[in-house]
Amino acid sequence: MTHDHDLVLRPTAAQTEAALNPPAGRNGGDLVVETLSGLGATTVFGLPGQHALGMFDALRRSSLRYVGLRVENNAGFAADAYGRVTGEAAPLLLSTGPGALMSLAALQEAAAASAPVLAIGSQVPSAGLGGGRHGYLHELRDQQASFRDIVKSVHVVRTASQIPSAIAAAWESALTAPHGPVWVEIPQDVLLAGTTLPVVTAMDATPDDVVPRPELTAVAADLLSNAARPAIIAGGGVVRSDASGKLLALAEKLDAPVVTTFGGKGAFPWEHPLSLQSWLEDRHTTDFLESADVLLVVGSGLGELSSNYHTFAPRGRVIQIEADLGKLESNHPALGIHADARLALSALLETVSEREDPSAAVSVRDVRAAVRARIDSQELVLEQRILASVREALPDDSPNFWDMTILAYWAWSAFDARKPNTMHSAQGAGGLGYGFPAALGAAAADPSRPVLAVSGDGGAMYSIAELATARQYGLPVTWLIVDDGGYGILREYMTDAFGEATATELARPDFVALAESFGVPAVRTNPESLSEDLAKAFARPGPSVVVLPALLRMFAPTHL
């Protein structure tokens, strides 16, 4: 009897010939890029450095497209966005020591947001490993230790023959739910040494599904079917697993209201009669969710932002579906189901009973009206007008990336993402500088549609160098910079807490002139012409910058 795996292991005559006579002039770097190509990668991000030159030289002998950024952290943000919008593992090529360490903040964001980033970094020559103080350039006593607290897995290579299997294992880890960043480390001499190993061909690194246990979904389905007031919180796991359609079908079958977390933006239709939208930093929403007798939480750990700063105290039964085992019941007791969101929602759809509750849509309308009245009472017309102008100008299917800035904090709650997996922000780890380089990564994934980046003037200064990247590759990113003269949200926090702000005011460049010096078209706009100026920028090929001088305020919190 012949088994499938027997057929896979039996090479053809052509494969045998190619294996016996590999091309000359290859080294460990070639094994890296061949493995990436064999796994299905088409684009890599990064920044070269002395110990990594073997990898970068091999790129010119491969079909991989290289997108080079100017700062390693920004290259990490670009890879993060590429992974988010494509669902593929995004290779990130880095050098040793300072180059590697510069990526850590970006990898922390990828970990928090479950973005599949395959970071491959070099190391000092093998003779310098082991913790001794040999004095090699970029030497660290234990470089991989800097990554272990951040990435899903670490894969260390010591010989050329280990390269394909290590990268394949890392690829599988990055794409196993929950997605996330991984770290592969290869010494300089291994990358540079010539090799006669056969050319790496197609490799199988298909991740295993994280399947729900049927006895748990049976209990969950019974609870939901017999609930009097069910409700659903949909998190980023719904977006990552492409489960928005399953979520909609389940909510309608149960007549259950749905709120999306800030990481789950777009997972549920904004204007649907059952949509509580994303007003999680609002006591009206919190009270409603607390009153549910059965609360289904899908793809969220109910962390700080998703729980109205840990003031949320559910009174009913909680069912939590989460692919990240560490997040199960980490904040609230629940019927914890360790599973990919799509698979678990599919199982529930097949087993829940249909229920009708006309009062559900009425309750949703009441909550939304109460939220709207609270916001309207604060006279924040400018902020809402600006957000509406962005929404008016932005095509529905355009990816948009938001830095840590006041307009983004508004967008988390108030922006209609319209399409799943289009709105992204750095709210996972909360680091500055995410918006523009991330948008470049999304544009590299699909340059056929415009991409929006939104930053404040403080966050923009983290990424100014990437205007050169945008220009070099002609990436269609429109960068909206809201210039309020400093770190606006920190100014608010400090003024509220201490009566005045310290270290928040910034000297800034003329952003328009600066962008134009890179050859990037730029315009200074105002709230009245913002929508028109954005629309013009989106219609223009290549990158552009729109600068909006504006002092914005946040709506009042309800958790204090």
Side-chain angles (χ1 to χ4, degrees):
M1 181 177 180
T2 301
H3 297 280
D4 288 344
H5 65 265
D6 295 327
L7 298 175
V8 172
L9 294 175
R10 189 175 298 128
T12 66
Q15 288 172 326
T16 300
E17 176 65 23
L20 293 173
N21 297 284
R26 293 163 60 246
N27 58 24
D30 288 278
L31 294 175
V32 172
V33 299
E34 289 166 6
T35 302
L36 292 174
S37 295
L39 289 166
T42 58
T43 302
V44 300
F45 300 88
L47 200 154
Q50 177 178 321
H51 293 141
L53 294 181
M55 283 193 295
F56 284 85
D57 178 63
L59 284 174
R60 65 184 172 87
R61 294 186 290 278
S62 80
S63 61
L64 293 173
R65 178 179 60 146
Y66 170 66
V67 180
L69 286 92
R70 302 307 193 264
V71 183
E72 288 86 355
N73 199 49
N74 293 337
F77 284 144
D80 165 302
Y82 187 98
R84 292 195 202 194
V85 301
T86 64
E88 303 168 6
L92 172 65
L93 307 185
L94 300 167
S95 191
T96 318
L101 298 181
M102 281 290 288
S103 73
L104 287 175
L107 295 178
Q108 184 187 3
E109 177 56 41
S114 298
V117 176
L118 174 56
I120 304 175
S122 58
Q123 248 294 18
V124 298
S126 300
L129 300 178
R133 306 300 288 167
H134 303 283
Y136 284 100
L137 182 71
H138 305 331
E139 181 181 81
L140 294 167
R141 284 173 295 177
D142 189 3
Q143 178 174 277
Q144 59 185 279
S146 296
F147 291 83
R148 287 193 182 278
D149 187 46
I150 294 174
V151 299
K152 286 184 67 179
S153 56
V154 170
H155 308 260
V156 179
V157 169
R158 290 294 177 261
T159 67
S161 62
Q162 296 174 0
I163 289 174
S165 294
I167 292 177
W171 181 280
E172 181 177 345
S173 176
L175 290 174
T176 298
H179 292 174
V182 295
W183 175 250
V184 181
E185 189 172 285
I186 310 172
Q188 178 192 30
D189 53 319
V190 176
L191 289 170
L192 291 175
T195 182
T196 58
L197 290 171
V199 173
V200 183
T201 55
M203 297 193 67
D204 183 12
T206 305
D208 291 331
D209 290 330
V210 183
V211 180
R213 288 167 46 196
E215 71 273 21
L216 295 180
T217 54
V219 173
D222 182 70
L223 289 170
L224 289 166
S225 299
N226 294 294
R229 299 178 310 281
I232 300 173
I233 299 177
V238 176
V239 176
R240 296 286 166 270
S241 63
D242 192 22
S244 300
K246 301 291 185 185
L247 173 66
L248 176 61
L250 182 66
E252 291 181 338
K253 191 170 183 179
L254 293 171
D255 248 348
V258 178
V259 64
T260 62
T261 70
F262 304 153
K265 296 284 290 186
F268 197 74
W270 188 254
E271 295 295 346
H272 192 283
L274 293 171
S275 175
L276 288 164
Q277 300 178 346
S278 301
W279 289 97
L280 286 167
E281 292 187 51
D282 187 280
R283 195 65 222 176
H284 298 296
T285 303
T286 305
D287 289 343
F288 181 85
L289 294 172
E290 287 180 348
S291 71
D293 63 334
V294 179
L295 180 67
L296 175 62
V297 182
V298 190
S300 172
L302 292 181
E304 184 177 38
L305 297 179
S306 302
S307 62
N308 203 355
Y309 298 91
H310 294 300
T311 62
F312 173 55
R315 296 191 296 273
R317 189 75 182 270
V318 177
I319 303 164
Q320 186 184 15
I321 296 168
E322 177 54 61
D324 187 338
L325 190 60
K327 291 182 179 178
L328 275 184
E329 299 189 72
S330 61
N331 286 305
H332 300 281
L335 174 66
I337 302 177
H338 180 220
D340 176 82
R342 182 180 179 86
L343 297 177
L345 288 173
S346 296
L348 288 177
L349 260 178
E350 294 173 0
T351 49
V352 297
S353 302
E354 189 164 356
R355 62 183 297 279
E356 293 186 9
D357 182 5
S359 67
V362 175
S363 298
V364 168
R365 283 200 304 271
D366 290 345
V367 172
R368 283 166 52 173
V371 172
R372 172 52 51 201
R374 186 177 81 85
I375 297 300
D376 287 347
S377 70
Q378 297 175 41
E379 299 181 356
L380 298 166
V381 177
L382 174 64
E383 291 77 4
Q384 296 180 74
R385 180 179 184 178
I386 290 172
L387 202 60
S389 294
V390 174
R391 179 65 278 173
E392 180 184 6
L394 184 68
D396 288 358
D397 62 348
S398 282
N400 44 103
F401 294 85
W402 304 71
D403 212 332
M404 301 298 286
T405 187
I406 287 179
L407 190 61
Y409 300 163
W410 268 93
W412 291 348
S413 293
F415 193 72
D416 176 7
R418 292 191 183 165
K419 300 278 188 181
N421 203 28
T422 54
M423 182 179 172
H424 306 274
S425 72
Q427 57 90 28
L432 273 174
Y434 174 79
F436 186 53
L440 297 179
D446 182 4
S448 69
R449 57 186 178 180
V451 181
L452 171 69
V454 180
S455 300
D457 55 285
M461 293 303 293
Y462 279 65
S463 311
I464 287 297
E466 305 310 338
L467 284 167
T469 303
R471 179 72 278 162
Q472 181 171 344
Y473 296 99
L475 297 172
V477 174
T478 293
W479 192 8
L480 173 61
I481 301 174
V482 182
D483 184 358
D484 67 358
Y487 299 122
I489 193 65
L490 300 180
R491 181 192 291 135
E492 276 204 16
Y493 290 162
M494 293 191 78
T495 301
D496 290 345
F498 310 116
E500 60 182 295
T502 304
T504 60
E505 306 314 298
L506 302 174
R508 294 96 62 212
D510 180 336
F511 286 109
V512 172
L514 184 58
E516 290 175 341
S517 75
F518 283 91
V520 175
V523 64
R524 185 171 286 100
T525 189
N526 56 63
E528 291 73 29
S529 59
L530 175 60
S531 181
E532 181 182 355
D533 287 334
L534 283 175
K536 289 178 180 177
F538 292 138
R540 183 185 299 122
S544 58
V545 170
V546 177
V547 181
L548 174 65
L551 184 61
L552 306 182
R553 295 185 298 136
M554 275 304 296
F555 51 82
T558 63
H559 65 280
L560 299 178

